Amino acid sequence: MKEDVRLIEVKEDILADNEKLANQIRSEFNQAKTLLLNLMSSPGAGKTTLILKTIEMLKQDLKIGVIEADIDSMVDSHKVAAAGRPAVQLRTGGFCHVDATMVKSGLEHMDWQNQDIVFIENVGNLVCPAEFDTGANKKVMILSVPEGDDKPLKYPLMFSICDVLIVSKLDYLPYSDFDIEAMQQRVKKLNPNIHIFELSCKTGKGVDAWINWLKNESGDANSNI
Amino acid sequence: MHELPVIQKVLDICLKHATANAAQKIISIELKVGGLSDLEPKWMQRYFDFLSKDTIAQGCKLKINKTPVMFKCQSCAKTFQVDMNKTETIACPGCQSEDISLESGNGYHIGNMEVL
């Protein structure tokens, strides 16, 4: 007997659940006038260093909390806590990225409504975090000079979805053949509206521009009705 | 790298629809993958085969189509397609504005599936 093949309409987006929760997180942050930032980069580009530098420079002006995501360690959250700011460590248990569900569970352990800015320090990875909406108001990525100026060619999705690109470890530039102009052109090709900041947390060069951007964004979040 | 959670989600959604429709076996699934995704069809099928073992989706074929990368011009509201591998700069073909935003090209959508 010949079995009949039937066609079933599924018509579902795989990331729909995640996007729904992400939109809910975003609207809660808008209401609380807190800015939620998703910070992404490859491992070792300087996410934690940038966060610590930002906390230090804004300690008089803005309250900052951090959700740290790592596959399995507490190292980063201890550093943030040592800087006197609330930190929640998410252990992603092998997951290569943070999604909205993980952010939601992290936020339950933080007094985030009373912060001006909350950073999500995503898992070090230029591939997967680009695909998952965390609920952040803005997406920020770091590319460090030692990684090379060709990264926009290799990880186009990450460069095309971010609002801000921070080129870090600028102090390495004299020892490197990193071509800033070529990198900028490659990034602008993917994402003409991206803000690019070039800085070194070690020397402090360029950090002010990033801090000013944050202050503006945080002010905008505050003026939201 | 995140093939596993993505494919697990595909499997979960399809098994849910199969059960709701009293299907005995899933034969094929249409999957639309955004042009910016770097997941390779060959590997998606391998992960699917691994995850669907001992379910009614075992042996199911994924029919994967890449969907185009579309941008929308903020100046004149025109939407246009871009081949990310060929284009030097992305600008609106209508008014040459570079004030554009990504309209579609990421994400994963399940279309129809064939079942017994």
Side-chain angles (χ1 to χ4, degrees):
Chain A
M1 191 183 76
K2 188 179 175 294
E3 289 172 294
D4 287 330
V5 175
R6 285 184 288 149
L7 203 61
I8 297 177
E9 279 196 5
V10 179
K11 301 221 179 328
E12 277 200 42
D13 280 321
I14 290 157
L15 303 177
D17 290 354
N18 187 63
E19 260 162 52
K20 201 173 146 198
L21 183 58
N23 286 331
Q24 187 192 321
I25 293 172
R26 237 184 319 276
S27 87
E28 285 175 20
F29 269 75
N30 285 338
Q31 272 176 15
K33 296 172 182 172
T34 301
L35 182 66
L36 182 62
L37 296 174
N38 180 10
L39 183 59
M40 298 172 279
S41 79
S42 54
K47 291 183 294 302
T48 311
T49 303
L50 180 76
I51 288 173
L52 293 172
K53 184 78 180 171
T54 304
I55 288 173
E56 182 199 319
M57 294 194 62
L58 283 171
K59 64 185 170 200
Q60 308 294 341
D61 305 295
L62 296 172
K63 287 176 283 184
I64 298 176
V66 184
I67 296 176
E68 293 285 351
D70 275 298
I71 286 177
D72 189 13
S73 94
M74 302 286 283
V75 177
D76 288 345
S77 60
H78 287 163
K79 286 183 193 165
V80 174
R85 299 307 313 162
V88 175
Q89 181 80 45
L90 295 175
R91 282 195 226 179
T92 61
F95 260 51
C96 47
H97 62 271
V98 172
D99 64 17
T101 311
M102 293 186 224
V103 170
K104 185 85 185 158
S105 71
L107 290 171
E108 282 164 15
H109 300 278
M110 184 191 286
D111 178 23
W112 63 267
Q113 292 91 342
N114 288 320
Q115 309 299 323
D116 297 302
I117 298 173
V118 174
F119 281 99
I120 301 162
E121 183 178 337
N122 216 311
V123 180
N125 179 346
L126 286 178
V127 185
C128 319
E131 297 224 45
F132 294 85
D133 193 341
T134 57
N137 303 102
K138 296 281 175 186
K139 302 187 189 95
V140 180
M141 70 167 294
I142 305 176
L143 174 67
S144 67
V145 168
E147 289 172 76
D149 53 37
D150 60 351
K151 290 301 166 285
L153 303 173
K154 292 186 164 186
Y155 305 98
L157 182 61
M158 177 61 80
F159 285 86
S160 50
I161 56 127
C162 281
D163 302 290
V164 173
L165 165 64
I166 290 175
V167 182
S168 70
K169 305 189 189 181
L170 212 57
D171 47 298
Y172 278 78
L173 211 51
Y175 318 102
S176 154
D177 48 15
F178 190 101
D179 184 338
I180 287 213
E181 221 161 273
M183 184 278 304
Q184 282 175 339
Q185 278 172 9
R186 286 168 187 151
V187 174
K188 291 278 182 182
K189 175 188 151 187
L190 295 165
N191 185 347
N193 298 318
I194 198 165
H195 297 274
I196 302 178
F197 299 107
E198 290 145 16
L199 57 80
S200 161
C201 288
K202 192 169 183 174
T203 66
K205 188 182 173 188
V207 178
D208 281 341
W210 155 246
I211 295 294
N212 286 335
W213 181 86
L214 267 182
K215 281 183 177 171
N216 275 334
E217 288 295 320
S218 174
D220 286 349
N222 259 306
S223 62
N224 279 350
I225 300 162
Chain B
M1 288 199 263
H2 54 279
E3 283 89 343
L4 220 45
V6 167
I7 297 297
Q8 183 68 54
K9 197 83 191 174
V10 173
L11 181 62
D12 291 346
I13 291 172
C14 290
L15 288 176
K16 183 185 78 186
H17 282 266
T19 309
N21 286 279
Q24 306 298 310
K25 187 160 179 54
I26 304 176
I27 297 168
S28 72
I29 297 168
E30 281 175 13
L31 191 59
K32 288 184 186 140
V33 178
L36 287 171
S37 165
D38 43 24
L39 298 198
E40 285 291 330
K42 186 175 124 192
W43 286 97
M44 294 176 84
Q45 182 71 55
R46 277 189 72 167
Y47 277 90
F48 188 88
D49 294 346
F50 171 74
L51 291 169
S52 63
K53 242 177 235 159
D54 301 325
T55 73
I56 60 164
Q58 185 168 337
C60 165
K61 166 113 180 76
L62 296 182
K63 296 177 177 171
I64 296 168
N65 281 311
K66 286 252 176 178
T67 55
V69 180
M70 302 292 290
F71 283 85
K72 183 173 185 178
C73 177
Q74 301 298 309
S75 299
C76 71
K78 187 183 170 68
T79 53
F80 56 99
Q81 186 178 332
V82 172
D83 183 340
M84 301 299 274
N85 295 323
K86 290 188 184 153
T87 318
E88 281 306 310
T89 55
I90 306 173
C92 173
C95 69
Q96 318 308 321
S97 168
E98 291 191 358
D99 186 13
I100 57 172
S101 62
L102 190 64
E103 185 84 346
S104 66
N106 47 9
Y108 306 88
H109 182 82
I110 306 172
N112 298 324
M113 61 180 189
E114 287 180 313
V115 301
L116 284 175

